[in-house]
Amino acid sequence: MDILSNLAMGFEIAASPYTLLLAVIGAFVGTIIGALPGLGPSNGVALLIPISFSLGLDAISALVLLTSVYYGAMYGGRISSILLNIPGDEPAMMTTLDGYPMARQGMAAEALVVSGVASFVGSFLATVGLMIFAPYLAGVAYKFGPAEYFALYMLAFCTLGGMGSNNQAKAALAAAIGLAISMIGLDKTTGMPRFTFGQLHLMDGIDFLVAIVGLFAVVEVFFFIESHGSNSAIGVKLGKILIPWKMLKQTSGAMLRGTGIGFIAGVLPGAGASLGSFLAYMGEKSLSSDKASFGKGNPRGVAAPEAGNNAAAGGALVPMLTLGVPGSGTTAVLLALLLTLNITPGPLLFSERPEVVWSLIAALLIANVVLLLMNVPMVKIFVHILSVPAWILLPGVTMVAFVGIYSLTGSGFDMLMMVGFGVLGYVMKKLDMPTVPVILGILLGNAMEDNLRRAMVLSNGDWKILFSSPISIGLWIAAVLGFIAPLVLRRFLKKPPLPQTDPMANED
Amino acid sequence: MRGDRIFGLVIIVVALGYILSAHGIETSFMSDPVGPRIFPYMIAGVMILCSLVMVLKPDPDADWPSGAVLGQLALALVMLLAYAFLITPLGFILPTILVAGVLSWQISGRPVPAALTGLGLGIGLFVLFRIILGLGLRGLPAGWGF
């Protein structure tokens, strides 16, 4: 077995006491980040990239630390969903539907255990899926030339814009803004400066980490101040944590089905964890014989979306690692991490640096086990941390964001730019424009232009090369469909009503 | 309605400026068939197209903050900008106490806990980042030690 020997190599690198310690720290910090309302996997990882980089961690240690944070945040999101009826992050939204009713019926501990185990099942199996499918997809990706890559980038933007937003024009505009920003700096081919306006600061372009921290973390400052950060008190008592074996057995089918749906949703570009948990919940509900109990505290309504969102988080790593194209905000942040570590994802990563891929996979498996241990018996610790008031938390997070960027670049100019991105993000969110395409544009812009220009060099300036191979034609068709199909589907697929954000409003 | 229209118009102006700036990019003798200008033109084209859609078919407007909340947001923005300017000359601790304190006060509305939060974060984060994690931060203004 090729996979097993590779995996053994991965564990050899990743399973040292030092990296295990990093995995524990990452999982702990990640769970807290996930549990805190307003902070999710993407801004959590975004905050910590500059810091782990300034700490001078080597590539594999940084990967272990930050993927543990990523998975930890996916686990942690459920805690505030269940106890506060506030999703800790967007993918955990569906967990509120049955998790909070369960908590109000005095089954908070059961809901936390079931969702914790569901998270483990989802992400563990998705990591196994990643091991099986990623090398296969990497084999296909060898056939990609510049024209195919250009079409692939179009596909990523189109599906992300199509699925992830309510208004196609706004999503496309967000992507274009990101691409426009990525053009700033020296043109690689000719060595000429573009859009620098004679500013030396702009010669190297705009650092994507500055944009990410600005758009994902600084934005939260403005939203918190606007809403006065009202919600922090826990209204539900948490009893002794016992493992409800019967309930786990009863929900095991829901977990497995949720995992399958979530993994597929994660692999598809643009879909991501939120769609994974949504589809897993809706699928479980439509299969069930007692549909009426969903939304009133059915444990299967907790297990399915939690398995789904964690499986999607694992599935989303497949296109990110093999093609270098992230499908969601969080994987975009992880791509930023890899690029910061000087690792270029793509098919070559699997053949040239297998130790990176397989130690990452080993790290994910380790992180999962650590997270299961932390999130089931020790969940009470996180519940206590949730009661930290917003007026300490938010200034703290803001300062961490600034320190990260400052220690990375040492320049006040970058910090001003970060605040600027925060303001841009605030305006965009107010206008219901997604900010993830901006990040994707900044991350992929140069590679996209580069591939376009290389394709044109190959064809001597004939634009038909973009549509000349079956793979690229297929990608273009998928891109157009991914952009247009949601317009049609939106009429059929109505999202269920959002949970109320104010826990007090639920005291009936 | 108005939000979308204004944003769309601003982006159209920006995109036109972008095209103008792209027009001025110099090409060197060793260029490729596409050159450094075409892709920026394409991006600006998409921006203008999408902005036109936003101007012509705007979504219903969001709740924009007004009055006191707008003032609070402006204060937060000024604080963050001030932080960016102050951290290099003053070091980490003093600007952090100021900005964290003000942000905390903006959320809780109580000055004493806010001041304590500022002090705690300024010193606590410095200890964490500088002493425990070893990041290269300067704590106090140049010449004051640290």
Side-chain angles (χ1 to χ4, degrees):
Chain A
M1 281 295 278
D2 217 19
I3 292 177
L4 289 182
S5 65
N6 278 326
L7 192 60
M9 174 189 74
F11 270 107
E12 232 166 81
I13 302 168
S16 74
Y18 176 62
T19 44
L20 280 177
L21 178 70
L22 287 176
V24 172
I25 295 173
F28 187 76
V29 173
T31 311
I32 295 173
I33 287 172
L36 294 169
L39 282 179
S42 36
N43 36 30
V45 178
L47 275 174
L48 294 175
I49 292 178
I51 291 173
S52 69
F53 197 66
S54 321
L55 285 176
L57 294 178
D58 62 275
I60 287 166
S61 310
L63 269 181
V64 170
L65 180 68
L66 289 168
T67 47
S68 310
V69 172
Y70 172 47
Y71 269 31
M74 299 301 297
Y75 272 73
R78 76 192 208 286
I79 298 176
S80 58
S81 292
I82 290 170
L83 294 179
L84 305 179
N85 201 27
I86 304 163
D89 47 49
E90 202 199 339
M93 197 194 81
M94 303 304 293
T95 313
T96 58
L97 296 182
D98 278 286
Y100 187 66
M102 272 183 87
R104 296 204 57 209
Q105 291 159 25
M107 293 196 292
E110 283 87 345
L112 284 172
V113 173
V114 167
S115 58
V117 174
S119 296
F120 175 77
V121 170
S123 48
F124 194 86
L125 291 180
T127 310
V128 175
L130 169 70
M131 284 192 294
I132 297 167
F133 287 110
Y136 176 74
L137 193 60
V140 176
Y142 268 119
K143 300 199 177 78
F144 279 39
E148 283 80 7
Y149 267 108
F150 185 74
L152 183 69
Y153 292 137
M154 283 304 289
L155 172 68
F157 284 116
C158 286
T159 46
L160 190 67
M163 309 247 192
S165 84
N166 300 319
N167 183 329
Q168 258 68 356
K170 287 180 174 177
L173 179 57
I177 291 174
L179 288 171
I181 292 170
S182 76
M183 293 292 107
I184 296 170
L186 288 182
D187 171 32
K188 257 190 286 174
T189 321
T190 58
M192 290 294 160
R194 296 195 285 187
F195 310 107
T196 56
F197 309 104
Q199 281 270 341
L200 268 182
H201 287 301
L202 292 174
M203 281 296 186
D204 313 330
I206 289 179
D207 194 328
F208 45 69
L209 289 176
V210 172
I212 288 175
V213 176
L215 282 174
F216 285 166
V218 177
V219 167
E220 296 299 333
V221 178
F222 298 125
F223 275 99
F224 243 89
I225 286 176
E226 196 185 342
S227 70
H228 287 280
S230 47
N231 33 40
S232 211
I234 297 178
V236 174
K237 286 270 174 291
L238 188 61
K240 202 165 185 276
I241 306 267
L242 292 170
I243 298 178
W245 293 106
K246 219 177 119 199
M247 200 180 270
L248 285 179
K249 208 174 151 203
Q250 196 193 342
T251 53
S252 58
M255 288 178 195
L256 292 177
R257 285 187 290 273
T259 302
I261 296 172
F263 184 73
I264 293 170
V267 172
L268 295 177
S274 304
L275 191 77
S277 69
F278 171 71
L279 290 178
Y281 184 86
M282 296 314 273
E284 194 57 33
K285 190 176 171 183
S286 61
L287 271 180
S288 160
S289 53
D290 50 344
K291 290 187 182 56
S293 70
F294 276 81
K296 295 187 183 125
N298 188 324
R300 274 179 295 161
V302 175
E306 265 312 302
N309 87 38
N310 284 276
L317 292 174
V318 175
M320 200 275 278
L321 286 175
T322 53
L323 300 167
V325 176
S328 63
T330 322
T331 37
V333 177
L334 286 178
L335 175 64
L337 165 68
L338 291 176
L339 295 176
T340 320
L341 296 170
N342 230 345
I343 298 167
T344 315
L348 290 177
L349 183 64
F350 281 76
S351 52
E352 283 175 1
R353 301 194 66 181
E355 81 284 358
V356 172
V357 178
W358 290 98
S359 57
L360 171 66
I361 289 174
L364 290 175
L365 293 172
I366 294 169
N368 260 313
V369 175
V370 172
L371 279 163
L372 179 69
L373 295 177
M374 254 183 209
N375 271 278
V376 175
M378 290 162 61
V379 73
K380 278 202 156 169
I381 298 173
F382 297 108
V383 175
H384 283 299
I385 290 170
L386 259 187
S387 47
V388 172
W391 48 267
I392 294 180
L393 186 72
L394 183 89
V397 169
T398 315
M399 294 300 121
V400 172
F402 275 90
V403 170
I405 292 298
Y406 187 67
S407 61
L408 191 68
T409 67
S411 109
F413 182 79
D414 278 330
M415 292 168 75
L416 287 178
M417 215 142 57
M418 180 176 85
V419 177
F421 274 109
V423 175
L424 175 71
Y426 176 80
V427 172
M428 288 179 69
K429 273 194 162 180
K430 275 281 169 191
L431 294 174
D432 195 24
M433 280 174 91
T435 50
V436 174
V438 180
I439 303 284
L440 210 58
I442 296 175
L443 279 174
L444 299 181
N446 285 309
M448 191 168 174
E449 189 195 16
D450 202 40
N451 277 298
L452 175 70
R453 287 165 77 168
R454 277 197 286 150
M456 288 305 160
V457 170
L458 289 178
S459 73
N460 242 327
D462 184 358
W463 291 83
K464 281 200 291 279
I465 191 175
L466 293 179
F467 313 98
S468 61
S469 79
I471 295 179
S472 58
I473 293 172
L475 289 169
W476 279 100
I477 292 173
V480 172
L481 282 179
F483 195 64
I484 293 172
L487 281 176
V488 186
L489 283 177
R490 211 167 282 143
R491 296 200 188 141
F492 299 105
L493 263 178
K494 281 244 165 69
K495 285 201 173 183
L498 290 169
Q500 259 132 12
T501 39
D502 183 2
M504 298 310 282
N506 285 290
E507 300 293 334
D508 40 22
Chain B
M1 298 279 281
R2 274 193 27 229
D4 276 18
R5 292 220 159 107
I6 294 169
F7 193 80
L9 288 174
V10 169
I11 293 291
I12 290 176
V13 173
V14 170
L16 291 175
Y18 197 77
I19 292 177
L20 201 68
S21 175
H23 191 69
I25 297 170
E26 291 170 53
T27 333
S28 69
F29 58 93
M30 36 174 259
S31 191
D32 49 314
V34 176
R37 294 187 199 137
I38 304 284
F39 196 64
Y41 286 157
M42 288 163 64
I43 297 168
V46 174
M47 281 165 80
I48 291 175
L49 199 72
C50 296
S51 305
L52 282 176
V53 175
M54 278 177 77
V55 171
L56 298 176
K57 259 187 67 186
D59 287 339
D61 227 352
D63 294 331
W64 288 91
S66 57
V69 179
L70 200 62
Q72 293 278 341
L73 286 174
L75 176 61
L77 180 61
V78 169
M79 278 295 131
L80 295 182
L81 292 175
Y83 193 75
F85 281 109
L86 292 178
I87 189 168
T88 307
L90 292 187
F92 176 79
I93 296 177
L94 296 179
T96 305
I97 292 176
L98 173 72
V99 175
V102 171
L103 288 179
S104 175
W105 169 75
Q106 286 192 291
I107 294 169
S108 73
R110 289 175 300 161
V112 175
L116 291 177
T117 307
L119 268 174
L121 284 172
I123 295 165
L125 287 178
F126 182 75
V127 170
L128 174 70
F129 286 121
R130 181 64 212 271
I131 298 171
I132 301 177
L133 296 178
L135 295 191
L137 287 174
R138 197 156 43 80
L140 291 170
W144 287 25
F146 277 126

